[in-house]
C-alpha cells in the first residue's frame, strides 16, 4: 500500500476548514497522513485544526510565522516528507469518501502518469455546474478550466482521459513527478506565491513528457470564488494580487516557452500582454509592479529558464523513484550576503554521492546573489539532490539553523556555514564513518583545521584517538572548553535533533553550545581523529561579536540547564564552569589584541569582573594567562601568532 500525504495550506480558512478536514478524514483509503500548513492565519483556523488533530493522530498542524502563500506552504510540506503520493487539498474543498482511492487507482495505471485530477463541482444540486474537469492549454500560453460553468448534464458522458493539466485545488501527484519538476530545489516556484502556479506545473509537466489524467469518478465540491478574468471581481482585489497575476503570466512565458514554440506562441500572446500593460497604465497602476519585479530579477528568471529548458530537452526521463529515499547525510549551508564564501563552501563539497543532499538556506535580503551563485556552482549536480531557499526578512543565524533542520531530509545533518568548507576527501571520510556507526552513534565529532581569512592554518583541532564519551564525560568536556566543538566538524542524527528539540533561537549566538549540551547529555559523543573540514576565523564571522555581557548571560543560562539535567555532579560542573568562562574571556581578549584593538581587549577582560564570574573565581592555571594579557595590554604589544593555541585549551 503506497504511503500518501494530504497537504493543506490554510490562511484565514476558519469558515471552511472543518468541513474540508471532516471529508478528508472520512476517506475510504487507509494509510495516509494529513499536514495542515497554516500561513499565519489571523482568525481561529489554527484552533479549529488543533481541535480536530487532538481526535485523530493522522492530522498534524504546522503553524508558520508568516504568510508564505500557496506555493510556500505546500513546498514546506513537500520538502519535509517522502510519501510516494501527495494529494493537495484546498481548504474550501469537500471530497467524496472514495476520491482518494479512485485517484490512486488511476495514477497506477501507467508509470508516466504524474498527476490525476478529479471532477470538481460547484454545488450539491442534482444537476450542479462544473467547476473544473482538469485544465486545457490555450495557444497564447494561458490555461483554462475544462468544462467550467457547464451543467453536469450538458457535459455528456465523462470518461477517464488525458488532459493538459490539473487545477491546483485537488490534484494527486506522484513523488517522482514532484522531484523531477523541482527547479533549484523547489517544486512550486515560490515567486508565484498563490496565482497560476498550477499553470506552471502543468506546462512543465507537459514539457518533461509526463501525463495528467482526469478521473471523473473522483468527485468533490469546490465553490470557485476567484476568477481573475472577471473585471468586476478583479477591481475588488488588492494591488498585490493583481500585480502577481500579471507577473506570474510573464514568468510562465519566459521560463517555459521552448525555442520551437516561441514564434507562434509569442505572436499570439504578445497582443494580450501589451493590452495588459496599457490597461495597467490607464486603470491599474499597481500591476506595473510586475514590470519592476522582472527588471530587478531578470538574471534569476533566465537562470531558471536554462534549467527548465535543459531538462525539457530530455523529454520523459525522470530519475529513478529510489532517488526519493531519505539520504544518509544532509549538508546544510546557512548563508548571509557572502556569495564569494558561499561559492567556496559549495565547491568544496565536490560531486554529490547519491546518499547526500545539499540544502542552501539564504538569509540575504539586499540581493539575490546567493541564489545566483548556488545555481551556477551546483548546475552540474543532480537536480534532485540540492535545494536553495531564500528566507523572509528578519531572520537570524539561529532561526536559519532551525530552518535548515526542518528542510533537511537526511538521517544525519552537517551544518557547513558559508564561511567554512570541506577539506579534500572530507565528505568521503565522513560517509565511511557514518556507515560504520549508523544506528549506534547520534553525535559524531570530526577534526577541523582552524584557518584565517587567507586560508592559512591557525590551529589543528583533531581528537588524538577514536573514542566514545559517555554523557557525563561528554558534557564535562563541552562545559570545560568553550571551543571544543567547531560546528562544521559535528554531525548529528535527525533522531537526536528531534528528541532534544533542536536549536533554540532564544539562545541567539550561543545556540550551538546549548544544543550540544542537550545532545551530549542524551547520547554522548563519538570523537573521530579525522580532519574533514576547515573552520574560518575572520572579522566577519558571527563569533567576533560575542564577547559581551549578553553572551555571558546566555552562557550562564546554559550552565543552569546543565545543572537541571543532573548529568554531571555539582562539584564537577562548578569546576568546568570556571575553566569555560576563563577560556572564553581570555581567548576573546587575545583575539582583540591580535586585531590591534586594545580597547576591545580591555572591555572583554572586564567581563571577569561581572558578579557571577567574580564569585566563581579564576582557576589557577588561567591566572598566568590573565596576567600576561594584562601586561600586553598595558604595553600595547600585539601578541605573536603561535603555531598552536593549545595553551588556550584546558586539559580535561
Amino acid at each position: 500500500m503506497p504511503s500518501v500525504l494530504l497537504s493543506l495550506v490554510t490562511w484565514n480558512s476558519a469558515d471552511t476548514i472543518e468541513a474540508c478536514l471532516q471529508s478528508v478524514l472520512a476517506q475510504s483509503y487507509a494509510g495516509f497522513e494529513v499536514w495542515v500548513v497554516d500561513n499565519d492565519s489571523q482568525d481561529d483556523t489554527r484552533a479549529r485544526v488543533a481541535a480536530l488533530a487532538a481526535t485523530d493522530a493522522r492530522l498534524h498542524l504546522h503553524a508558520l510565522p508568516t504568510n508564505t502563500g500557496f506555493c510556500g506552504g505546500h513546498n514546506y510540506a513537500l520538502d519535509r516528507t517522502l510519501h510516494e503520493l501527495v494529494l493537495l487539498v484546498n481548504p474550501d474543498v469537500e471530497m467524496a469518501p472514495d476520491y482518494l482511492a479512485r485517484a490512486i487507482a488511476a495514477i497506477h495505471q501507467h508509470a508516466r502518469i504524474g498527476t490525476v485530477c478529479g471532477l470538481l463541482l460547484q454545488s450539491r444540486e442534482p444537476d450542479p455546474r462544473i467547476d473544473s474537469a482538469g485544465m486545457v492549454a490555450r495557444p497564447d500560453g494561458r490555461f483554462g478550466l475544462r468544462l467550467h460553468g457547464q451543467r453536469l448534464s450538458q457535459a455528456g458522458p465523462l470518461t477517464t482521459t488525458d488532459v493538459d493539466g490539473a487545477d491546483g485545488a485537488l490534484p494527486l501527484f506522484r513523488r517522482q513527478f514532484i522531484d523531477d519538476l523541482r527547479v533549484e530545489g523547489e517544486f512550486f516556484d515560490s515567486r508565484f506565491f498563490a496565482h497560476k502556479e498550477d499553470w506552471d506545473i502543468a506546462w512543465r509537466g507537459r514539457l518533461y513528457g509526463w501525463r495528467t489524467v482526469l478521473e471523473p469518478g473522483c468527485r468533490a465540491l469546490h465553490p470557485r470564488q476567484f476568477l481573475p478574468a472577471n473585471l468586476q471581481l478583479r477591481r475588488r482585489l488588492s494591488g498585490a494580487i493583481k500585480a502577481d497575476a500579471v507577473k506570474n503570466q510573464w514568468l510562465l512565458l519566459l521560463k517555459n516557452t521552448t525555442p520551437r514554440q516561441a514564434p507562434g506562441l509569442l505572436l499570439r500572446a504578445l497582443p494580450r500582454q501589451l493590452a495588459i500593460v496599457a490597461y495597467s497604465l490607464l486603470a491599474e497602476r499597481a500591476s506595473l509592479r510586475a514590470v519592476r519585479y522582472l527588471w530587478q530579477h531578470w538574471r534569476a528568471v533566465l537562470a531558471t529558464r536554462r534549467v527548465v529548458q535543459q531538462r525539457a530537452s530530455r523529454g520523459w526521463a525522470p530519475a529513478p523513484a529510489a532517488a526519493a529515499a531519505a539520504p544518509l547525510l544532509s549538508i546544510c549551508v546557512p548563508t548571509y550576503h557572502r556569495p564569494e564564501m558561499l561559492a567556496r563552501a559549495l565547491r568544496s563539497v565536490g560531486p554529490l554521492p547519491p546518499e547526500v543532499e545539499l540544502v542552501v538556506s539564504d538569509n540575504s535580503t539586499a540581493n539575490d546573489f546567493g541564489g545566483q551563485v548556488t545555481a551556477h556552482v551546483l548546475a552540474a549536480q543532480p537536480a534532485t539532490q540540492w535545494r536553495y531557499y531564500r528566507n523572509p526578512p528578519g531572520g537570524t543565524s539561529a532561526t536559519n539553523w532551525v530552518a535548515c533542520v526542518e528542510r533537511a531530509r537526511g538521517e544525519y545533518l552537517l551544518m557547513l556555514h558559508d564561511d567554512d568548507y570541506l577539506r579534500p576527501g572530507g565528505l568521503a571520510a565522513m560517509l565511511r564513518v557514518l556507515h560504520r556507526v549508523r544506528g549506534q552513534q547520534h553525535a559524531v565529532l570530526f577534526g577541523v583545521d582552524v584557518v584565517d581569512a587567507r586560508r592559512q592554518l591557525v590551529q589543528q583541532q583533531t581528537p588524538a584517538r577514536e573514542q566514545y564519551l559517555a554523557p557525563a564525560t561528554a558534557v564535562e568536556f563541552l562545559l570545560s572548553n568553550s571551543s571544543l566543538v567547531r560546528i562544521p566538524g559535528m554531525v548529528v542524527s535527525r533522531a537526536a535533533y528531534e528528541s532534544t528539540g533542536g536549536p533554540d533561537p532564544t539562545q541567539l549566538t550561543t545556540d550551538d553550545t546549548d544544543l550540544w549540551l542537550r545532545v551530549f547529555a542524551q547520547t554522548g559523543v563519538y570523537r573521530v581523529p579525522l580532519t574533514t573540514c576547515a573552520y574560518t576565523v575572520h572579522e566577519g564571522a558571527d563569533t567576533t561579536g560575542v564577547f559581551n555581557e549578553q553572551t555571558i548571560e546566555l552562557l550562564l543560562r546554559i550552565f543552569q540547564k546543565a545543572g537541571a539535567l543532573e548529568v554531571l555532579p555539582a562539584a564537577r560542573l562548578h569546576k568546568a564552569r570556571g575553566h569555560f568562562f576563563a577560556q572564553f574571556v581570555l581567548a576573546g581578549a587575545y583575539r582583540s589584541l591580535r586585531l590591534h584593538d586594545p580597547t576591545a581587549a580591555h572591555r572583554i577582560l572586564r567581563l571577569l569582573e561581572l558578579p557571577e564570574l567574580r564569585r566563581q573565581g579564576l582557576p589557577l592555571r588561567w591566572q598566568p594567562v590573565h596576567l600576561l594579557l594584562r601586561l600586553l595590554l598595558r604595553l600595547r604589544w600585539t601578541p605573536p601568532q603561535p603555531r598552536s593555541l593549545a595553551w588556550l585549551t584546558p586539559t580535561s
Side-chain angles (χ1 to χ4, degrees):
M1 179 180 294
S3 62
V4 185
L5 171 71
L6 276 66
S7 175
L8 287 84
V9 174
T10 54
W11 181 68
N12 296 337
S13 308
D15 292 344
T16 61
I17 190 60
E18 289 170 310
C20 173
L21 286 176
Q22 286 166 0
S23 76
V24 163
L25 297 173
Q27 290 299 297
S28 60
Y29 182 88
F32 67 87
E33 67 173 322
V34 185
W35 279 33
V36 177
V37 180
D38 183 76
N39 268 324
D40 193 27
S41 290
Q42 301 304 301
D43 60 9
D44 63 345
T45 298
R46 294 183 180 182
R48 294 177 186 237
V49 174
L52 281 172
T55 67
D56 197 311
R58 296 173 296 176
L59 178 57
H60 309 278
L61 172 63
H62 298 263
L64 302 187
T66 57
N67 185 359
T68 63
F70 179 95
C71 297
H74 282 303
N75 280 344
Y76 178 93
L78 296 177
D79 293 342
R80 291 161 175 80
T81 56
L82 295 168
H83 299 75
E84 180 184 339
L85 301 172
V86 180
L87 180 71
L88 305 190
V89 185
N90 264 23
D92 58 349
V93 161
E94 294 180 42
M95 306 159 59
D98 62 350
Y99 187 102
L100 183 57
R102 287 177 176 270
I104 290 172
I107 207 167
H108 284 145
Q109 293 302 307
H110 197 282
R112 201 163 173 169
I113 299 174
T115 311
V116 169
C117 57
L119 183 63
L120 305 185
L121 305 171
Q122 291 186 341
S123 70
R124 301 185 188 278
E125 301 174 81
D127 187 21
R129 292 190 182 277
I130 295 172
D131 177 62
S132 72
M135 295 195 302
V136 58
R138 293 175 177 166
D140 62 354
R142 295 181 297 147
F143 283 75
L145 300 175
R146 291 182 73 248
L147 308 181
H148 176 75
Q150 292 188 28
R151 293 287 181 184
L152 186 58
S153 60
Q154 297 173 338
L158 295 175
T159 59
T160 303
T161 185
D162 281 37
V163 293
D164 293 333
D167 176 57
L170 203 56
L172 178 70
F173 295 131
R174 192 186 296 267
R175 174 66 67 168
Q176 197 175 0
F177 171 83
I178 291 170
D179 288 340
D180 189 34
L181 263 67
R182 289 184 183 273
V183 177
E184 298 177 356
E186 291 188 329
F187 176 64
F188 284 116
D189 187 333
S190 56
R191 293 171 294 197
F192 280 64
F193 193 75
H195 305 291
K196 297 185 173 73
E197 75 291 324
D198 48 359
W199 296 12
D200 187 42
I201 295 301
W203 197 337
R204 253 187 295 154
R206 296 179 74 207
L207 286 179
Y208 296 3
W210 287 94
R211 291 171 56 193
T212 298
V213 168
L214 166 71
E215 174 47 71
C218 299
R219 299 204 174 185
L221 177 69
H222 185 227
R224 179 80 51 168
Q225 295 181 348
F226 170 51
L227 291 173
N230 185 318
L231 288 180
Q232 289 184 342
L233 284 175
R234 187 179 182 91
R235 291 191 183 100
R236 296 201 295 268
L237 298 175
S238 71
I241 291 177
K242 290 184 281 193
D244 266 356
V246 176
K247 175 201 70 182
N248 293 350
Q249 179 64 65
W250 294 347
L251 285 173
L252 280 167
L253 293 169
L254 291 170
K255 292 195 316 177
N256 300 321
T257 304
T258 66
R260 180 176 296 182
Q261 292 173 327
L265 191 149
L266 294 180
L267 186 64
R268 294 180 177 90
L270 193 58
R272 178 182 178 84
Q273 301 310 313
L274 290 176
I276 287 173
V277 173
Y279 178 78
S280 299
L281 285 168
L282 295 173
E284 195 176 279
R285 291 294 182 90
S287 293
L288 293 176
R289 299 177 195 169
V291 178
R292 183 173 62 184
Y293 179 90
L294 291 176
W295 177 258
Q296 292 174 336
H297 298 89
W298 64 270
R299 288 188 180 87
V301 175
L302 291 182
T304 303
R305 173 178 171 78
R306 284 192 291 272
V307 174
V308 171
Q309 297 302 319
Q310 183 180 31
R311 170 62 188 88
S313 66
R314 301 202 311 268
W316 191 71
L328 173 63
L329 177 66
S330 294
I331 301 176
C332 301
V333 186
T335 185
Y336 179 66
H337 286 311
R338 292 194 288 221
E340 298 84 0
M341 289 185 171
L342 173 62
R344 181 184 68 177
L346 296 178
R347 290 192 180 99
S348 75
V349 175
L352 283 173
E355 58 194 341
V356 177
E357 72 164 0
L358 194 58
V359 177
V360 181
S361 185
D362 191 354
N363 270 1
S364 302
T365 54
N367 55 60
D368 61 352
F369 294 161
Q372 295 179 40
V373 164
T374 301
H376 175 73
V377 174
L378 301 181
Q381 300 279 18
T384 57
Q385 289 180 241
W386 66 272
R387 285 168 285 145
Y388 169 83
Y389 301 93
R390 188 171 182 189
N391 301 322
T396 64
S397 59
T399 60
N400 201 355
W401 192 346
V402 173
C404 285
V405 173
E406 291 178 342
R407 290 160 173 163
R409 299 181 296 175
E411 185 177 340
Y412 288 89
L413 278 65
L414 166 69
M415 301 299 298
L416 183 70
H417 286 90
D418 57 8
D419 54 349
D420 302 325
Y421 53 93
L422 294 180
R423 285 299 196 189
L427 177 56
M430 282 186 193
L431 294 176
R432 286 195 299 270
V433 173
L434 292 180
H435 276 293
R436 179 159 50 85
V437 304
R438 192 176 193 175
Q440 304 171 38
Q441 302 295 340
H442 293 275
V444 184
L445 181 59
F446 295 91
V448 303
D449 284 342
V450 181
V451 301
D452 62 21
R454 295 175 296 174
R455 305 179 72 169
Q456 298 297 311
L457 182 65
V458 175
Q459 176 189 6
Q460 288 184 317
Q461 190 171 315
T462 302
R465 65 184 186 279
E466 189 164 331
Q467 65 177 149
Y468 168 70
L469 303 182
T473 305
V475 168
E476 187 171 24
F477 271 49
L478 175 71
L479 297 184
S480 299
N481 182 353
S482 64
S483 60
L484 175 73
V485 179
R486 306 290 189 178
I487 291 180
M490 175 62 76
V491 178
V492 179
S493 73
R494 170 171 297 284
Y497 271 111
E498 292 174 351
S499 61
T500 59
D504 179 359
T506 66
Q507 286 289 156
L508 304 177
T509 53
T510 65
D511 54 352
D512 54 343
T513 304
D514 175 73
L515 176 61
W516 306 145
L517 167 65
R518 287 179 279 122
V519 171
F520 287 12
Q522 185 175 103
T523 72
V525 64
Y526 190 73
R527 302 208 299 176
V528 182
L530 294 173
T531 302
T532 58
C533 57
Y535 173 85
T536 306
V537 178
H538 60 96
E539 293 185 38
D542 286 343
T543 52
T544 59
V546 300
F547 301 101
N548 52 52
E549 293 186 25
Q550 181 189 43
T551 304
I552 297 295
E553 292 175 4
L554 293 169
L555 290 170
L556 287 169
R557 187 196 303 175
I558 292 174
F559 278 88
Q560 292 172 357
K561 293 179 182 180
L565 290 172
E566 297 183 345
V567 176
L568 203 60
R572 288 167 64 185
L573 180 61
H574 180 79
K575 180 180 179 182
R577 192 174 86 159
H579 283 296
F580 186 97
F581 282 106
Q583 182 200 22
F584 178 77
V585 172
L586 297 177
Y590 169 80
R591 178 182 293 183
S592 293
L593 286 173
R594 286 284 304 155
L595 295 174
H596 310 288
D597 191 349
T599 302
H602 180 72
R603 175 183 54 78
I604 293 170
L605 283 176
R606 290 188 62 184
L607 293 174
L608 293 173
E609 300 174 14
L610 292 172
E612 286 284 349
L613 302 191
R614 181 188 288 273
R615 285 195 295 270
Q616 173 77 50
L618 193 64
L620 184 62
R621 78 173 300 271
W622 293 105
Q623 291 179 15
V625 180
H626 183 222
L627 290 173
L628 175 62
L629 290 176
R630 289 179 65 88
L631 178 61
L632 292 174
L633 184 59
R634 181 178 293 274
L635 297 175
R636 293 187 176 271
W637 283 358
T638 299
Q641 177 66 64
R643 290 182 177 273
S644 171
L645 296 183
W647 59 278
L648 277 177
T649 304
T651 54
S652 304

